[in-house]
Amino acid sequence: MNHDAYPDTYIRGILNGVKSIAMVGASPVNVRPSYFAFKYLAERGYDMIPVNPGHVGKALLGKPFVASLAEIGRPVDMIDIFRNSSHIMPVVEEALKLDPLPKVIWMQLGARDDAAAAKAESLGIKVVMNRCPKIEYGRLSSEISWMGVNSRTLSAKRPPAPTAGMRLSLNRMSLSGGATTASDRAAKNKSEES
């Protein structure tokens, strides 16, 4: 996998395929990026699990904090790591001890560890680095366009405003970054004109 440029189909497949997400480094402080991402993903119907040993005994949006991945006690589809790059490898090593293994390890914006990614991928786990699932979900569903941001997705129909627990369609056509027939055809036509 080229971790510098992910195809939209890869990100879509992950976001459509996971149900439970353990967020390592989640914070109950409502001005922290991890809080916003946790809340957003929970509102889109994902089963969110906050992991932070500094907040055990507290809850985040009604979900009790656990100190470690091992304490979750049930299968988790995706590990979302909200830690800086120097703390990635220990989290990935802990994730690789889970039974069953998670399907995905996702490292948030600014976080990258190629050695940890290679270790996870060698066991068949998908890896995303330096991306935010909240941003990717909003972009692929075109929800982010409600705020005037160009999501690079096309549709004549505006996506519905989500209600609690509602997942939006992530299958909207992408202009770039995805394997779509429209973008492939446009690129082919452009190269034939040259």
Side-chain angles (χ1 to χ4, degrees), residues 102-115:
K103 297 175 187 173
V104 179
I105 294 191
W106 191 301
M107 301 173 207
Q108 279 289 341
L109 289 172
R112 183 175 181 132
D113 186 325
D114 289 294

Side-chain angles (χ1 to χ4, degrees), residues 1 11 14 32 41 104 113 134 148 178:
M1 174 55 60
I11 301 294
I14 289 171
R32 302 289 304 216
L41 294 170
V104 179
D113 186 325
K134 173 189 180 294

Side-chain angles (χ1 to χ4, degrees), residues 101-173:
L101 290 172
K103 297 175 187 173
V104 179
I105 294 191
W106 191 301
M107 301 173 207
Q108 279 289 341
L109 289 172
R112 183 175 181 132
D113 186 325
D114 289 294
K119 197 175 232 190
E121 288 174 326
S122 73
L123 295 173
I125 298 171
K126 292 182 179 182
V127 176
V128 176
M129 296 190 286
N130 192 29
R131 298 283 189 279
C132 175
K134 173 189 180 294
I135 292 169
E136 294 300 312
Y137 187 101
R139 182 179 67 80
L140 292 172
S141 69
S142 297
E143 181 180 19
I144 201 167
S145 67
W146 295 334
M147 296 176 281
V149 176
N150 181 359
S151 66
R152 298 186 338 258
T153 56
L154 292 176
S155 176
K157 190 173 179 183
R158 188 176 196 141
T163 58
M166 175 185 170
R167 287 207 191 175
L168 297 174
S169 171
L170 300 178
N171 296 322
R172 299 168 78 80
M173 187 180 304

Side-chain angles (χ1 to χ4, degrees), residues 22-40 48-56 58-66 80-83 108:
M23 185 179 285
V24 177
S27 174
V29 179
N30 66 2
V31 294
R32 302 289 304 216
S34 63
Y35 176 89
F36 290 121
F38 189 97
K39 183 175 190 270
Y40 180 91
M48 300 298 295
I49 304 158
V51 182
N52 190 326
H55 295 293
V56 171
K58 300 177 187 172
L60 179 53
L61 304 174
K63 306 277 187 170
F65 276 93
V66 294
D80 182 12
I81 306 173
F82 249 104
R83 303 290 316 271
Q108 279 289 341

